[in-house]
Structures are given as structure tokens and as C-alpha cells.
Amino acid sequence: QVQLVESGGGLVQPGGSLRLSCAASGFSLDYRRIGWFRQAPGKEREGVLCLSRSSGDTYYTDSVKGRFTISRDRAKNTAYLQMNSLKPDDTAVYYCATSTLYGCSFSSRDYTYWGQGTQVTVSS
């Protein structure tokens, strides 16, 4: 069964950190584009970060540059989103997604498999 499962969300104070996990089953994350998206209440889903399949480069939306990074553990078939210096505006449901397409995209239409999402709340 092809599946992506996110975990690691929660409540954190402004300035704090969280690491989200995206565990894949039924397929390998190797040689796939990996994207992280988020959706805040009343807002459209937005792309946050993309790891390119072809180059291995990472692309960030401006609001998270210098604060968010992606990594992966091939042995665990899991990708991670490390979020530092969190702000209240980062509050959202976070999703990971994958695609076999080359390059990177922040359009949700360019991704095939999606996780169920994990809630991140940044509040004092």
C-alpha cells in the first residue's frame, strides 16, 4: 500500500523548533521530488519547501528561508522538515508530498502522493 504518513506536529512557543517526519511505505523516496506544503485556516495551501529529484537542490518559499530545512534518512525511507525560529504565522497543517517529476514545483497539482497532514501551532 502506497502511503505517506506525517508526524511530529504540536504546540510550540514562538522562537521554538519542531521536526516533522514524513514516512513513506509502498514505494521509495529515493529519486523522487519531495515537497512540503502547509495550509492555514481560511488560506490556500502553499508550497513551503521542495527537494528536487534531479539536482538534489532545495528550494524554499521566502517566508521560511534560513529557518526551515529538509533532510532524509534513506534507511528509514523518511524525510524530515526541521523548523526553527518558529513564528505564529507558521501555524498551519503541514503536508508532505512526492512526485516522480524532475525539478521542483510549489504547485500542489504537480504532486502524486500526499500525507494526511500534521498540525503545527505556534503560540505563547
Side-chain angles (χ1 to χ4, degrees):
Q1 181 182 3
V2 174
Q3 199 173 14
L4 286 174
V5 177
E6 297 106 336
S7 61
L11 173 64
V12 63
Q13 292 187 342
S17 298
L18 278 177
R19 189 179 77 159
L20 306 183
S21 300
C22 174
S25 59
F27 69 100
S28 173
L29 286 175
D30 286 353
Y31 311 113
R32 283 181 176 263
R33 174 197 299 171
I34 300 172
W36 282 94
F37 291 76
R38 65 186 180 187
Q39 188 165 20
K43 295 186 177 180
E44 293 186 354
R45 187 172 299 187
E46 67 165 340
V48 172
L49 181 154
C50 174
L51 175 64
S52 170
R53 169 188 178 182
S54 49
S55 67
D57 292 335
T58 305
Y59 299 85
Y60 305 85
T61 193
D62 287 346
S63 62
V64 307
K65 283 181 181 177
R67 300 189 298 122
F68 290 13
T69 57
I70 188 172
S71 62
R72 74 168 124 195
D73 185 329
R74 285 191 161 84
K76 295 182 178 179
N77 204 24
T78 298
Y80 302 95
L81 178 64
Q82 178 67 44
M83 305 185 295
N84 299 325
S85 302
L86 283 162
K87 306 174 182 180
D89 284 348
D90 294 320
T91 296
V93 177
Y94 283 73
Y95 301 88
C96 64
T98 68
S99 168
T100 57
L101 297 177
Y102 288 93
C104 257
S105 169
F106 284 149
S107 172
S108 58
R109 294 175 297 179
D110 292 336
Y111 290 81
T112 307
Y113 298 124
W114 290 81
Q116 83 288 356
T118 184
Q119 176 70 47
V120 172
T121 303
V122 185
S123 175
S124 56

